[in-house]
Amino acid sequence: MVICFIGDSLTLGFGDETGLGWTGRIARQLAEQGESVTAYNLGVRKDTTVRMRHRWQSESSLRLLPEEPAKLVFSFGVADVANSIPAEESLGAAVAMLMQARQVGDVLVIGPTPVNDADKRAEIASLSRQFEAMCRRLEIPFVPAFDAMHHSFVYGEALNKGDGVHPAASGYADLADHILKSDTARTFFGIA
């Protein structure tokens, strides 16, 4: 399978001293379980859904192979809040992007993660709930990450070791573990 991970700096794995981020850990786990995986990290620092909407298709189309199943994993929201993008703009861009993506391959959305700043954290929590409702309406699988990471001691400590937005390696490992324990993600990736 070919997986394109599309998102912002958290998808990129910024701040992870191992260079794996959560996407690299997921790809490694799938390979260790015997899956034939080609994974591309298309995370871009400070990228909002509005900007992502205009780049995802050209970037992923260069990497997908006609004979291989295409998996498109999106994660967005934190950069939207950091860049003061109104929620309705984020949602509009996300809907347009995900509707197009469904015509290309299987789509999964990973919800945004918490940050140390309390005001921005509250905005991200609200946006995450809106993204989850949007995905439910569009019948696109969604793995919520906000609450689990907000209540995770490991993720909180990793945020403190990082810059308060991007965790250190242990936080990305915790997030990858959370995603891979989700029935939604396991079904999406075909994990028994």
Side-chain angles (χ1 to χ4, degrees):
M1 85 180 75
V2 177
I3 309 170
C4 289
F5 294 98
I6 303 152
D8 57 23
S9 56
L10 287 151
T11 302
L12 181 62
F14 180 77
D16 183 345
E17 59 273 24
T18 70
L20 288 171
W22 61 268
T23 63
R25 286 173 171 84
I26 286 176
R28 181 177 64 192
Q29 182 71 21
L30 291 172
E32 286 173 357
Q33 293 186 8
E35 294 290 336
S36 174
V37 177
T38 303
Y40 294 99
N41 188 326
L42 303 178
V44 175
R45 285 187 68 189
K46 299 184 179 186
D47 212 15
T48 65
T49 53
V50 176
R51 288 181 45 197
M52 209 177 295
R53 175 185 175 197
H54 297 290
R55 73 170 175 88
W56 79 268
Q57 197 161 15
S58 61
E59 291 182 13
S60 60
S61 68
L62 295 171
R63 292 157 175 90
L64 300 177
L65 302 170
E67 67 278 3
E68 291 283 331
K71 302 279 188 183
L72 302 167
V73 180
F74 291 86
S75 186
F76 40 72
V78 176
D80 292 58
V81 170
N83 289 283
S84 302
I85 303 295
E88 54 276 5
E89 281 187 46
S90 295
L91 288 161
V95 167
M97 181 166 57
L98 296 173
M99 293 294 286
Q100 290 174 331
R102 283 201 315 201
Q103 297 172 20
V104 174
D106 296 333
V107 178
L108 174 68
V109 176
I110 308 299
T113 51
V115 298
N116 282 350
D117 180 279
D119 292 336
K120 291 193 184 325
R121 187 170 59 241
E123 285 184 60
I124 294 166
S126 173
L127 193 56
S128 180
R129 288 189 297 273
Q130 292 175 72
F131 285 151
E132 185 170 13
M134 169 198 70
C135 285
R136 197 168 27 256
R137 283 192 308 275
L138 297 176
E139 298 181 345
I140 290 175
F142 180 88
V143 177
F146 186 89
D147 288 341
M149 296 302 100
H150 182 59
H151 294 107
S152 166
F153 176 80
V154 171
Y155 197 84
E157 284 294 299
L159 273 180
N160 291 337
K161 288 179 187 171
D163 63 9
V165 174
H166 307 93
S170 59
Y172 284 110
D174 194 32
L175 177 57
D177 186 56
H178 166 72
I179 293 166
L180 287 172
K181 285 181 178 171
S182 153
D183 288 341
T184 300
R186 294 179 72 77
T187 298
F188 180 80
F189 290 119
I191 301 171

mmCIF file of all heavy atoms in Angstrom, residues 1-6 38-40 42 56-74 100-107 188:
data_model
loop_
_atom_site.group_PDB
_atom_site.id
_atom_site.type_symbol
_atom_site.label_atom_id
_atom_site.label_comp_id
_atom_site.label_asym_id
_atom_site.label_seq_id
_atom_site.Cartn_x
_atom_site.Cartn_y
_atom_site.Cartn_z
ATOM 1 N N MET A 1 0.835 -1.183 0.000
ATOM 2 C CA MET A 1 0.000 0.000 0.000
ATOM 3 C C MET A 1 0.873 1.236 0.000
ATOM 4 O O MET A 1 1.977 1.229 0.534
ATOM 5 C CB MET A 1 -0.960 -0.022 1.198
ATOM 6 C CG MET A 1 -0.406 0.513 2.496
ATOM 7 S SD MET A 1 -1.541 0.474 3.921
ATOM 8 C CE MET A 1 -1.523 -1.249 4.337
ATOM 9 N N VAL A 2 0.383 2.296 -0.617
ATOM 10 C CA VAL A 2 1.053 3.591 -0.603
ATOM 11 C C VAL A 2 0.248 4.504 0.306
ATOM 12 O O VAL A 2 -0.957 4.658 0.133
ATOM 13 C CB VAL A 2 1.153 4.201 -2.015
ATOM 14 C CG1 VAL A 2 1.796 5.584 -1.958
ATOM 15 C CG2 VAL A 2 1.943 3.288 -2.946
ATOM 16 N N ILE A 3 0.936 5.074 1.298
ATOM 17 C CA ILE A 3 0.279 5.980 2.245
ATOM 18 C C ILE A 3 0.878 7.369 2.108
ATOM 19 O O ILE A 3 2.104 7.527 2.165
ATOM 20 C CB ILE A 3 0.464 5.525 3.705
ATOM 21 C CG1 ILE A 3 0.078 4.071 3.886
ATOM 22 C CG2 ILE A 3 -0.338 6.419 4.642
ATOM 23 C CD1 ILE A 3 0.461 3.504 5.244
ATOM 24 N N CYS A 4 0.038 8.356 1.911
ATOM 25 C CA CYS A 4 0.459 9.750 1.954
ATOM 26 C C CYS A 4 -0.112 10.363 3.226
ATOM 27 O O CYS A 4 -1.335 10.380 3.407
ATOM 28 C CB CYS A 4 -0.033 10.518 0.738
ATOM 29 S SG CYS A 4 0.792 10.069 -0.796
ATOM 30 N N PHE A 5 0.771 10.827 4.096
ATOM 31 C CA PHE A 5 0.374 11.530 5.308
ATOM 32 C C PHE A 5 0.426 13.024 5.000
ATOM 33 O O PHE A 5 1.503 13.555 4.706
ATOM 34 C CB PHE A 5 1.324 11.205 6.458
ATOM 35 C CG PHE A 5 1.277 9.770 6.919
ATOM 36 C CD1 PHE A 5 2.206 8.846 6.473
ATOM 37 C CD2 PHE A 5 0.301 9.357 7.831
ATOM 38 C CE1 PHE A 5 2.179 7.529 6.919
ATOM 39 C CE2 PHE A 5 0.265 8.043 8.278
ATOM 40 C CZ PHE A 5 1.204 7.124 7.820
ATOM 41 N N ILE A 6 -0.713 13.677 5.059
ATOM 42 C CA ILE A 6 -0.817 15.069 4.636
ATOM 43 C C ILE A 6 -1.233 15.918 5.830
ATOM 44 O O ILE A 6 -2.246 15.636 6.472
ATOM 45 C CB ILE A 6 -1.851 15.209 3.492
ATOM 46 C CG1 ILE A 6 -1.446 14.290 2.322
ATOM 47 C CG2 ILE A 6 -1.983 16.659 3.040
ATOM 48 C CD1 ILE A 6 -2.594 13.814 1.492
ATOM 49 N N THR A 38 4.744 1.758 1.383
ATOM 50 C CA THR A 38 5.539 2.898 0.944
ATOM 51 C C THR A 38 4.835 4.112 1.531
ATOM 52 O O THR A 38 3.684 4.401 1.173
ATOM 53 C CB THR A 38 5.594 3.011 -0.591
ATOM 54 O OG1 THR A 38 6.124 1.795 -1.122
ATOM 55 C CG2 THR A 38 6.457 4.186 -1.014
ATOM 56 N N ALA A 39 5.511 4.794 2.454
ATOM 57 C CA ALA A 39 4.882 5.910 3.161
ATOM 58 C C ALA A 39 5.585 7.218 2.831
ATOM 59 O O ALA A 39 6.820 7.286 2.828
ATOM 60 C CB ALA A 39 4.920 5.667 4.667
ATOM 61 N N TYR A 40 4.794 8.235 2.549
ATOM 62 C CA TYR A 40 5.312 9.565 2.252
ATOM 63 C C TYR A 40 4.781 10.549 3.285
ATOM 64 O O TYR A 40 3.564 10.641 3.489
ATOM 65 C CB TYR A 40 4.877 10.024 0.859
ATOM 66 C CG TYR A 40 5.464 9.195 -0.252
ATOM 67 C CD1 TYR A 40 4.721 8.190 -0.851
ATOM 68 C CD2 TYR A 40 6.763 9.418 -0.691
ATOM 69 C CE1 TYR A 40 5.256 7.425 -1.873
ATOM 70 C CE2 TYR A 40 7.305 8.663 -1.713
ATOM 71 C CZ TYR A 40 6.551 7.663 -2.308
ATOM 72 O OH TYR A 40 7.077 6.905 -3.307
ATOM 73 N N LEU A 42 3.983 14.126 3.920
ATOM 74 C CA LEU A 42 3.749 15.375 3.200
ATOM 75 C C LEU A 42 3.322 16.475 4.167
ATOM 76 O O LEU A 42 2.544 17.361 3.819
ATOM 77 C CB LEU A 42 2.698 15.165 2.108
ATOM 78 C CG LEU A 42 3.043 14.065 1.085
ATOM 79 C CD1 LEU A 42 1.912 13.906 0.074
ATOM 80 C CD2 LEU A 42 4.357 14.340 0.397
ATOM 81 N N TRP A 56 -2.372 19.299 -1.681
ATOM 82 C CA TRP A 56 -2.371 17.872 -1.377
ATOM 83 C C TRP A 56 -2.446 17.008 -2.636
ATOM 84 O O TRP A 56 -1.773 15.988 -2.740
ATOM 85 C CB TRP A 56 -3.513 17.511 -0.419
ATOM 86 C CG TRP A 56 -4.833 17.396 -1.111
ATOM 87 C CD1 TRP A 56 -5.761 18.379 -1.287
ATOM 88 C CD2 TRP A 56 -5.356 16.239 -1.756
ATOM 89 N NE1 TRP A 56 -6.819 17.903 -2.011
ATOM 90 C CE2 TRP A 56 -6.601 16.597 -2.308
ATOM 91 C CE3 TRP A 56 -4.889 14.939 -1.929
ATOM 92 C CZ2 TRP A 56 -7.392 15.704 -3.014
ATOM 93 C CZ3 TRP A 56 -5.674 14.039 -2.641
ATOM 94 C CH2 TRP A 56 -6.917 14.425 -3.177
ATOM 95 N N GLN A 57 -3.280 17.426 -3.598
ATOM 96 C CA GLN A 57 -3.524 16.562 -4.750
ATOM 97 C C GLN A 57 -2.292 16.455 -5.654
ATOM 98 O O GLN A 57 -1.914 15.358 -6.063
ATOM 99 C CB GLN A 57 -4.729 17.066 -5.541
ATOM 100 C CG GLN A 57 -5.286 16.020 -6.469
ATOM 101 C CD GLN A 57 -6.696 16.332 -6.904
ATOM 102 O OE1 GLN A 57 -7.188 17.451 -6.757
ATOM 103 N NE2 GLN A 57 -7.377 15.349 -7.446
ATOM 104 N N SER A 58 -1.650 17.584 -5.937
ATOM 105 C CA SER A 58 -0.472 17.529 -6.807
ATOM 106 C C SER A 58 0.672 16.777 -6.127
ATOM 107 O O SER A 58 1.386 16.010 -6.776
ATOM 108 C CB SER A 58 -0.025 18.936 -7.209
ATOM 109 O OG SER A 58 0.329 19.693 -6.069
ATOM 110 N N GLU A 59 0.829 16.954 -4.822
ATOM 111 C CA GLU A 59 1.914 16.278 -4.116
ATOM 112 C C GLU A 59 1.666 14.777 -3.981
ATOM 113 O O GLU A 59 2.582 13.978 -4.148
ATOM 114 C CB GLU A 59 2.115 16.912 -2.740
ATOM 115 C CG GLU A 59 2.672 18.320 -2.842
ATOM 116 C CD GLU A 59 2.926 18.955 -1.497
ATOM 117 O OE1 GLU A 59 2.912 18.251 -0.469
ATOM 118 O OE2 GLU A 59 3.140 20.175 -1.477
ATOM 119 N N SER A 60 0.442 14.388 -3.691
ATOM 120 C CA SER A 60 0.169 12.959 -3.528
ATOM 121 C C SER A 60 0.099 12.235 -4.869
ATOM 122 O O SER A 60 0.525 11.080 -4.968
ATOM 123 C CB SER A 60 -1.107 12.739 -2.719
ATOM 124 O OG SER A 60 -2.210 13.326 -3.364
ATOM 125 N N SER A 61 -0.383 12.900 -5.906
ATOM 126 C CA SER A 61 -0.514 12.222 -7.206
ATOM 127 C C SER A 61 0.844 11.785 -7.763
ATOM 128 O O SER A 61 0.927 10.803 -8.491
ATOM 129 C CB SER A 61 -1.240 13.115 -8.216
ATOM 130 O OG SER A 61 -0.447 14.233 -8.553
ATOM 131 N N LEU A 62 1.906 12.496 -7.401
ATOM 132 C CA LEU A 62 3.248 12.118 -7.844
ATOM 133 C C LEU A 62 3.744 10.852 -7.157
ATOM 134 O O LEU A 62 4.704 10.229 -7.603
ATOM 135 C CB LEU A 62 4.240 13.252 -7.554
ATOM 136 C CG LEU A 62 4.013 14.549 -8.312
ATOM 137 C CD1 LEU A 62 4.925 15.643 -7.767
ATOM 138 C CD2 LEU A 62 4.242 14.345 -9.803
ATOM 139 N N ARG A 63 3.105 10.467 -6.066
ATOM 140 C CA ARG A 63 3.593 9.357 -5.244
ATOM 141 C C ARG A 63 2.719 8.108 -5.317
ATOM 142 O O ARG A 63 3.166 7.028 -4.931
ATOM 143 C CB ARG A 63 3.717 9.840 -3.803
ATOM 144 C CG ARG A 63 4.835 10.863 -3.665
ATOM 145 C CD ARG A 63 4.677 11.775 -2.471
ATOM 146 N NE ARG A 63 5.836 12.648 -2.349
ATOM 147 C CZ ARG A 63 5.933 13.843 -2.923
ATOM 148 N NH1 ARG A 63 4.956 14.313 -3.656
ATOM 149 N NH2 ARG A 63 7.019 14.573 -2.770
ATOM 150 N N LEU A 64 1.503 8.234 -5.771
ATOM 151 C CA LEU A 64 0.597 7.093 -5.826
ATOM 152 C C LEU A 64 0.888 6.243 -7.055
ATOM 153 O O LEU A 64 1.282 6.752 -8.100
ATOM 154 C CB LEU A 64 -0.854 7.575 -5.828
ATOM 155 C CG LEU A 64 -1.265 8.398 -4.602
ATOM 156 C CD1 LEU A 64 -2.704 8.883 -4.738
ATOM 157 C CD2 LEU A 64 -1.088 7.609 -3.317
ATOM 158 N N LEU A 65 0.691 4.944 -6.889
ATOM 159 C CA LEU A 65 0.938 3.996 -7.976
ATOM 160 C C LEU A 65 -0.382 3.339 -8.365
ATOM 161 O O LEU A 65 -1.137 2.896 -7.496
ATOM 162 C CB LEU A 65 1.933 2.928 -7.520
ATOM 163 C CG LEU A 65 3.293 3.456 -7.039
ATOM 164 C CD1 LEU A 65 4.092 2.344 -6.381
ATOM 165 C CD2 LEU A 65 4.052 4.058 -8.202
ATOM 166 N N PRO A 66 -0.667 3.253 -9.662
ATOM 167 C CA PRO A 66 -1.967 2.710 -10.082
ATOM 168 C C PRO A 66 -2.237 1.292 -9.603
ATOM 169 O O PRO A 66 -3.373 0.918 -9.364
ATOM 170 C CB PRO A 66 -1.922 2.779 -11.611
ATOM 171 C CG PRO A 66 -0.583 3.265 -11.996
ATOM 172 C CD PRO A 66 0.171 3.641 -10.764
ATOM 173 N N GLU A 67 -1.185 0.487 -9.436
ATOM 174 C CA GLU A 67 -1.386 -0.913 -9.042
ATOM 175 C C GLU A 67 -1.383 -1.130 -7.530
ATOM 176 O O GLU A 67 -1.563 -2.244 -7.073
ATOM 177 C CB GLU A 67 -0.319 -1.806 -9.701
ATOM 178 C CG GLU A 67 1.107 -1.575 -9.214
ATOM 179 C CD GLU A 67 1.827 -0.391 -9.865
ATOM 180 O OE1 GLU A 67 1.234 0.324 -10.676
ATOM 181 O OE2 GLU A 67 3.010 -0.204 -9.537
ATOM 182 N N GLU A 68 -1.186 -0.083 -6.760
ATOM 183 C CA GLU A 68 -1.137 -0.180 -5.298
ATOM 184 C C GLU A 68 -2.327 0.551 -4.671
ATOM 185 O O GLU A 68 -2.687 1.635 -5.124
ATOM 186 C CB GLU A 68 0.149 0.460 -4.760
ATOM 187 C CG GLU A 68 1.412 -0.283 -5.101
ATOM 188 C CD GLU A 68 1.616 -1.517 -4.251
ATOM 189 O OE1 GLU A 68 1.156 -1.534 -3.093
ATOM 190 O OE2 GLU A 68 2.233 -2.470 -4.751
ATOM 191 N N PRO A 69 -2.919 -0.015 -3.605
ATOM 192 C CA PRO A 69 -3.995 0.694 -2.913
ATOM 193 C C PRO A 69 -3.483 2.028 -2.351
ATOM 194 O O PRO A 69 -2.388 2.090 -1.794
ATOM 195 C CB PRO A 69 -4.382 -0.249 -1.767
ATOM 196 C CG PRO A 69 -3.815 -1.579 -2.126
ATOM 197 C CD PRO A 69 -2.630 -1.319 -3.017
ATOM 198 N N ALA A 70 -4.267 3.081 -2.540
ATOM 199 C CA ALA A 70 -3.895 4.418 -2.072
ATOM 200 C C ALA A 70 -4.586 4.724 -0.751
ATOM 201 O O ALA A 70 -5.805 4.587 -0.627
ATOM 202 C CB ALA A 70 -4.286 5.466 -3.113
ATOM 203 N N LYS A 71 -3.780 5.117 0.224
ATOM 204 C CA LYS A 71 -4.292 5.518 1.538
ATOM 205 C C LYS A 71 -3.866 6.967 1.771
ATOM 206 O O LYS A 71 -2.671 7.286 1.705
ATOM 207 C CB LYS A 71 -3.705 4.641 2.648
ATOM 208 C CG LYS A 71 -3.964 3.153 2.494
ATOM 209 C CD LYS A 71 -5.335 2.792 2.972
ATOM 210 C CE LYS A 71 -5.536 1.275 2.992
ATOM 211 N NZ LYS A 71 -6.886 0.928 3.392
ATOM 212 N N LEU A 72 -4.828 7.832 2.026
ATOM 213 C CA LEU A 72 -4.555 9.244 2.283
ATOM 214 C C LEU A 72 -4.943 9.550 3.730
ATOM 215 O O LEU A 72 -6.115 9.442 4.097
ATOM 216 C CB LEU A 72 -5.357 10.121 1.320
ATOM 217 C CG LEU A 72 -5.090 9.858 -0.166
ATOM 218 C CD1 LEU A 72 -6.146 10.544 -1.022
ATOM 219 C CD2 LEU A 72 -3.706 10.327 -0.558
ATOM 220 N N VAL A 73 -3.949 9.907 4.525
ATOM 221 C CA VAL A 73 -4.171 10.187 5.941
ATOM 222 C C VAL A 73 -3.946 11.682 6.163
ATOM 223 O O VAL A 73 -2.842 12.183 5.950
ATOM 224 C CB VAL A 73 -3.230 9.360 6.840
ATOM 225 C CG1 VAL A 73 -3.485 9.671 8.307
ATOM 226 C CG2 VAL A 73 -3.401 7.868 6.555
ATOM 227 N N PHE A 74 -4.995 12.363 6.576
ATOM 228 C CA PHE A 74 -4.933 13.807 6.800
ATOM 229 C C PHE A 74 -4.933 14.105 8.296
ATOM 230 O O PHE A 74 -5.623 13.439 9.074
ATOM 231 C CB PHE A 74 -6.154 14.499 6.182
ATOM 232 C CG PHE A 74 -6.173 14.490 4.684
ATOM 233 C CD1 PHE A 74 -6.692 13.415 3.977
ATOM 234 C CD2 PHE A 74 -5.682 15.573 3.969
ATOM 235 C CE1 PHE A 74 -6.723 13.406 2.592
ATOM 236 C CE2 PHE A 74 -5.708 15.585 2.579
ATOM 237 C CZ PHE A 74 -6.233 14.499 1.889
ATOM 238 N N GLN A 100 -12.638 15.621 -2.445
ATOM 239 C CA GLN A 100 -11.767 15.312 -3.589
ATOM 240 C C GLN A 100 -10.930 14.071 -3.292
ATOM 241 O O GLN A 100 -10.759 13.208 -4.163
ATOM 242 C CB GLN A 100 -10.838 16.488 -3.881
ATOM 243 C CG GLN A 100 -11.520 17.701 -4.457
ATOM 244 C CD GLN A 100 -10.547 18.871 -4.589
ATOM 245 O OE1 GLN A 100 -9.588 19.002 -3.828
ATOM 246 N NE2 GLN A 100 -10.794 19.719 -5.559
ATOM 247 N N ALA A 101 -10.406 13.998 -2.081
ATOM 248 C CA ALA A 101 -9.514 12.898 -1.720
ATOM 249 C C ALA A 101 -10.216 11.550 -1.805
ATOM 250 O O ALA A 101 -9.595 10.546 -2.191
ATOM 251 C CB ALA A 101 -8.955 13.127 -0.317
ATOM 252 N N ARG A 102 -11.496 11.507 -1.473
ATOM 253 C CA ARG A 102 -12.233 10.238 -1.530
ATOM 254 C C ARG A 102 -12.281 9.661 -2.932
ATOM 255 O O ARG A 102 -12.460 8.468 -3.113
ATOM 256 C CB ARG A 102 -13.668 10.437 -1.026
ATOM 257 C CG ARG A 102 -13.750 10.519 0.456
ATOM 258 C CD ARG A 102 -15.105 10.216 0.981
ATOM 259 N NE ARG A 102 -16.181 10.854 0.255
ATOM 260 C CZ ARG A 102 -17.383 11.057 0.746
ATOM 261 N NH1 ARG A 102 -17.658 10.667 1.977
ATOM 262 N NH2 ARG A 102 -18.321 11.628 0.053
ATOM 263 N N GLN A 103 -12.126 10.522 -3.934
ATOM 264 C CA GLN A 103 -12.135 10.050 -5.321
ATOM 265 C C GLN A 103 -10.785 9.460 -5.723
ATOM 266 O O GLN A 103 -10.671 8.819 -6.755
ATOM 267 C CB GLN A 103 -12.511 11.200 -6.254
ATOM 268 C CG GLN A 103 -13.908 11.716 -5.993
ATOM 269 C CD GLN A 103 -14.229 12.980 -6.786
ATOM 270 O OE1 GLN A 103 -13.588 13.281 -7.774
ATOM 271 N NE2 GLN A 103 -15.225 13.714 -6.339
ATOM 272 N N VAL A 104 -9.749 9.690 -4.877
ATOM 273 C CA VAL A 104 -8.394 9.232 -5.187
ATOM 274 C C VAL A 104 -8.064 7.920 -4.470
ATOM 275 O O VAL A 104 -7.407 7.051 -5.027
ATOM 276 C CB VAL A 104 -7.368 10.328 -4.810
ATOM 277 C CG1 VAL A 104 -5.943 9.839 -4.979
ATOM 278 C CG2 VAL A 104 -7.618 11.588 -5.631
ATOM 279 N N GLY A 105 -8.520 7.802 -3.222
ATOM 280 C CA GLY A 105 -8.204 6.608 -2.440
ATOM 281 C C GLY A 105 -8.953 6.594 -1.129
ATOM 282 O O GLY A 105 -9.850 7.405 -0.906
ATOM 283 N N ASP A 106 -8.576 5.660 -0.263
ATOM 284 C CA ASP A 106 -9.177 5.573 1.067
ATOM 285 C C ASP A 106 -8.669 6.734 1.912
ATOM 286 O O ASP A 106 -7.476 7.053 1.885
ATOM 287 C CB ASP A 106 -8.801 4.254 1.739
ATOM 288 C CG ASP A 106 -9.354 3.050 1.006
ATOM 289 O OD1 ASP A 106 -10.392 3.183 0.331
ATOM 290 O OD2 ASP A 106 -8.747 1.973 1.097
ATOM 291 N N VAL A 107 -9.561 7.346 2.683
ATOM 292 C CA VAL A 107 -9.225 8.545 3.454
ATOM 293 C C VAL A 107 -9.460 8.308 4.938
ATOM 294 O O VAL A 107 -10.471 7.733 5.341
ATOM 295 C CB VAL A 107 -10.064 9.756 2.978
ATOM 296 C CG1 VAL A 107 -9.767 10.995 3.813
ATOM 297 C CG2 VAL A 107 -9.829 10.043 1.506
ATOM 298 N N PHE A 188 -8.789 0.735 8.871
ATOM 299 C CA PHE A 188 -8.305 1.492 7.723
ATOM 300 C C PHE A 188 -7.008 0.894 7.164
ATOM 301 O O PHE A 188 -6.841 0.757 5.961
ATOM 302 C CB PHE A 188 -8.083 2.951 8.139
ATOM 303 C CG PHE A 188 -7.574 3.843 7.043
ATOM 304 C CD1 PHE A 188 -8.434 4.359 6.092
ATOM 305 C CD2 PHE A 188 -6.232 4.159 6.953
ATOM 306 C CE1 PHE A 188 -7.963 5.184 5.079
ATOM 307 C CE2 PHE A 188 -5.744 4.989 5.957
ATOM 308 C CZ PHE A 188 -6.626 5.495 5.009
#
